[in-house]
Amino acid sequence: MTITIQQSAIQQSATQQLSPALTKAAKYIMSQQSPTGAIPWFDGHFADPWDHIEAAMGLTVAGKYREAQRAYLWLVHNQERDGSWYSEYHKNSHGEYAANTATLKQTHHAAYIATGLWHYYLCTQDVEFIRELYPRVEAAFDFILPLQTPEGEFNWAVNSNNDVQEDALITACSSILKSLSCASLLARTLNFPSNYFDHSYQKLQNALSNKPHRFDRTWEPKTRFSMDWFYPIFCGALTKTAAKTRLESRWQEFVVDNLGCRCVSDEPWVTTAETCELIFALLYLEETETAQQLFQQLLSLQDSSDGGFWTGIVTRDMSLWPKEKTTWTAGAILLAADALFQLSNGHEILIR
């Protein structure tokens, strides 16, 4: 592979170098978690199901199993009757995070509980916990699966009146593909049928691989977003050959030497979470050295005062923007470290 980043090799062992930073990152997530288990972006902001789960997965990597369980139980207690979740949950006067029912119910948000729970099981081998929550996974897919079209892609959302928001997003459908795989693994582990997950997976993989015309039909294409570039790679939508070609084709467009990955191709803004997710794509292609070098570049974005990681940096003047330290960014850091340095038994979940 031709893509490279010029930087000195990592000098210290992963454990010695990363342990303090990762411990602080996990403590930062815990400091933002509500007593009922919700993990907002940061205190004073809303929570959303997908990013909530990303942060919970970070806690699991760090061995904070009790806090991760509380996060998943919060999802259980806030799941709608149709198996979905709303896109935003805001803190009310009682300190609880309640649904903003004016927002949409997105398919990839609902599906992601399967990824989170399978990751939790890999790390803990706690079969009783996933057995307890598996009906919530089934309920989520009862909501999601009818929204898959005959062509294989998933409509991206429904509103509070259950009106389908027709069209599909590459990044969201890639995430659903990974969740379908995890749902199937959960089902098989618990000796439940998995064939309907597997059938849906095959249809969606075919759409992502061979039917680009089924995505972004009613809005501007999302190709300026780096997520659309690398999500199909590490979520398993492409063959290794196609994945390598895809990564090389836009590397120069998205990657800033010695800094990381842009969020969008047309802005000078490198973001921590997108760089972590690019690391997953690199590891999927066994480009370990480049992935390690990218990760090293992110460590300077940790706030030493509380352990949170800044969302991103503007390359034009090297200023932090926005001045936010999201919990899901810390979660992404923990997951990337795990994928690189095999810190838990769940380290392969986003790279295989």
Side-chain angles (χ1 to χ4, degrees), residues 165-184:
Q165 310 299 293
E166 296 184 354
D167 209 341
L169 295 156
I170 290 172
T171 297
C173 281
S174 297
S175 179
I176 292 172
L177 188 74
K178 172 58 69 174
S179 292
L180 282 164
S181 173
C182 292
S184 178

Side-chain angles (χ1 to χ4, degrees), residues 48-50 53 72 74-80 82-89 99 103-107 109-114 136-137 139-141 143-144 158:
D48 74 79
W50 198 99
I53 292 169
Y72 292 117
W74 180 84
L75 285 171
V76 168
H77 296 147
N78 285 276
Q79 190 173 31
E80 298 297 314
D82 63 3
S84 69
W85 288 270
Y86 283 95
S87 298
E88 295 181 9
Y89 291 77
T103 60
L104 298 171
K105 298 183 285 188
Q106 299 183 48
T107 47
H109 282 195
Y112 209 47
I113 189 174
R136 300 300 93 216
V137 175
F141 280 92
F143 164 71
I144 296 160
V158 301

Side-chain angles (χ1 to χ4, degrees), residues 10 12-23 337 341-343:
I10 298 173
Q12 298 175 304
S13 73
T15 301
Q16 290 174 327
Q17 185 178 29
L18 295 174
S19 182
L22 299 184
T23 298
F341 304 110
Q342 302 180 18
L343 306 175

Side-chain angles (χ1 to χ4, degrees), residues 70-139:
R70 286 174 51 225
Y72 292 117
L73 291 172
W74 180 84
L75 285 171
V76 168
H77 296 147
N78 285 276
Q79 190 173 31
E80 298 297 314
R81 290 184 178 180
D82 63 3
S84 69
W85 288 270
Y86 283 95
S87 298
E88 295 181 9
Y89 291 77
H90 294 261
K91 187 185 289 188
N92 60 24
S93 58
H94 302 290
E96 304 282 350
Y97 280 83
N100 176 0
T101 57
T103 60
L104 298 171
K105 298 183 285 188
Q106 299 183 48
T107 47
H108 73 289
H109 282 195
Y112 209 47
I113 189 174
T115 302
L117 286 178
W118 179 243
H119 177 253
Y120 183 85
Y121 173 72
L122 289 175
C123 293
T124 66
Q125 296 297 297
D126 186 349
V127 71
E128 292 308 314
F129 187 70
I130 64 164
R131 190 185 306 278
E132 178 186 350
L133 268 62
Y134 183 73
R136 300 300 93 216
V137 175
E138 289 187 308

